[in-house]
Amino acid sequence: MRKLTDFEKQVIEQKGTERPYSGEYYQHDVKGVYCCKKCDAPLYRSESKFNAHCGWPAFDDEISGAVKRNIDADGRRVEIVCAECEGHLGHVFEGEFLTPKNVRHCVNSVSMVFKSALEVVAPVKKTELATFGGGCFWCTEAIFSTLEGVNSVVSGYAGGSATDANYRAVCSGMTSHAEVVHIEFDPDVISYESLLAVFWQSHDPTTLNRQGNDSGPQYRSVVFIHSDKQAESVNAMINTLTKACVWQDPIVTEVAAFDGFYPAEDYHNDYFELNGEQPYCKIVVKPKVDKVKALFAELLKSN
């Protein structure tokens, strides 16, 4: 939130009004976006601004979802506020026929800050990747797909070459691949360490080349790392779990450098979601999903 001057507080927080014809944006005509002075949220595009000869900046449209309307204290006018911080902007009027849209947002200049077209750059969405193998990827995909902050989960193969990265070859156990999920996530919403915590709880990391009735090197427990930071996190967590004796048997999870991912055949993706009534999904996959969802809810509470 931006620190406001006394006058800005009077208008934005105490619902005051600046003098007509006094605001810096009354006759302002530059390409760009008008943003909330208090929280910087985008409010109006310059294309929506017009001269209403009223003494204040006027707009006949707002950026979708940016402005909220309230009945004013006098019970007659409609107040407009920033939808993000509820800072007072001004009032909205309809039926004046000043533009084809027949609406006028009468806004205090002091409630806004202008950003030119050169300054307005779409924020780059920050994402990272994680690649885990913990048995059948039907189970693993279903588990990670439920987590907030996970943008996508794709089933596939890693640890081998492109020539034999297909289900039939991998199931033979004669390739170097593991069945994995390739996860794109937002680190501002969910951390890599949280994903690791879910990974450890979603399978048994002490059984070599096996998960339940599924056996073979393709079902091995493995983390493919994408950075030095991820390597540090994985090894630190293995050390912590080992010292805490979480499992009676030693952890056999492989930690390997990521060297490529090969998406599985289309029918494998969203398998649990599309085939939830099948016996394997009901008996094997669903209990794992429910368990991890409950554990992750507790993890969020503790954070």
Side-chain angles (χ1 to χ4, degrees):
M1 293 288 181
R2 183 180 281 108
K3 186 176 181 179
L4 303 178
T5 66
D6 289 342
F7 179 58
E8 289 167 348
K9 288 180 181 179
Q10 180 188 351
V11 174
I12 297 171
E13 296 181 346
Q14 300 170 22
K15 305 185 185 300
T17 304
E18 67 188 6
R19 287 183 295 104
Y21 306 101
S22 66
E24 63 175 314
Y25 299 133
Y26 168 54
Q27 292 186 318
H28 191 251
D29 186 20
V30 181
K31 294 289 185 182
V33 174
Y34 296 83
C35 302
C36 175
K37 175 67 71 66
K38 186 175 182 180
C39 73
D40 214 36
L43 300 171
Y44 302 99
R45 295 184 177 89
S46 57
E47 293 82 358
S48 300
K49 191 172 185 294
F50 69 99
N51 190 351
H53 304 285
C54 61
W56 291 276
F59 303 88
D60 65 358
D61 201 2
E62 73 267 33
I63 292 174
S64 179
V67 176
K68 188 166 74 172
R69 303 186 183 199
N70 300 320
I71 298 298
D72 206 1
D74 61 16
R76 294 174 296 176
R77 295 181 300 172
V78 177
E79 179 198 15
I80 45 176
V81 299
C82 170
E84 188 71 25
C85 69
E86 299 204 350
H88 176 74
L89 302 174
H91 293 86
V92 65
F93 303 92
E94 298 181 10
E96 299 174 325
F97 299 101
L98 298 175
T99 74
K101 293 184 178 180
N102 196 22
V103 64
R104 172 171 62 98
H105 289 243
C106 184
V107 186
N108 292 288
S109 290
V110 73
S111 295
M112 301 184 294
V113 61
F114 177 77
K115 295 184 179 181
S116 70
L118 294 176
E119 295 177 280
V120 179
V121 179
V124 178
K125 193 169 185 179
K126 184 179 178 183
T127 59
E128 293 182 13
L129 297 173
T131 306
F132 302 136
C136 174
F137 47 32
W138 294 347
C139 295
T140 319
E141 182 200 58
I143 288 165
F144 284 98
S145 295
T146 65
L147 305 181
E148 184 178 356
V150 169
N151 299 330
S152 67
V153 184
V154 182
S155 294
Y157 316 103
S161 66
T163 55
D164 50 7
N166 62 81
Y167 193 60
R168 176 174 291 182
V170 172
C171 282
S172 73
M174 302 301 291
T175 76
S176 301
H177 300 90
E179 289 194 11
V180 300
V181 288
H182 196 51
I183 303 166
E184 181 187 282
F185 66 99
D186 182 347
D188 290 333
V189 179
I190 185 170
S191 68
Y192 182 70
E193 289 72 21
S194 293
L195 293 176
L196 280 177
V198 171
F199 170 70
W200 300 122
Q201 294 288 349
S202 67
H203 75 299
D204 185 348
T206 70
T207 53
L208 185 64
N209 296 335
R210 180 170 59 83
Q211 287 298 309
N213 294 324
D214 296 325
S215 64
Q218 70 271 29
Y219 298 116
R220 66 189 183 272
S221 175
V222 57
V223 177
F224 290 97
I225 57 174
H226 292 261
S227 67
D228 291 342
K229 184 179 178 182
Q230 286 191 3
E232 291 172 4
S233 296
V234 173
N235 289 315
M237 194 167 287
I238 289 175
N239 290 335
T240 299
L241 293 171
T242 300
K243 290 178 182 178
C245 298
V246 176
W247 295 276
Q248 290 183 344
D249 298 320
I251 294 172
V252 296
T253 301
E254 175 188 349
V255 181
F258 177 80
D259 61 354
F261 169 76
Y262 309 100
E265 296 78 357
D266 287 344
Y267 64 87
H268 290 296
N269 287 305
D270 302 318
Y271 192 87
F272 174 65
E273 182 180 346
L274 299 175
N275 301 275
E277 294 305 311
Q278 289 194 6
Y280 181 84
C281 291
K282 294 174 73 173
I283 296 170
V284 178
V285 182
K286 189 176 186 304
K288 287 189 175 184
V289 172
D290 292 343
K291 175 188 173 184
V292 171
K293 285 172 71 174
L295 288 167
F296 191 68
E298 290 300 317
L299 179 65
L300 290 178
K301 287 180 184 179
S302 65
N303 289 342

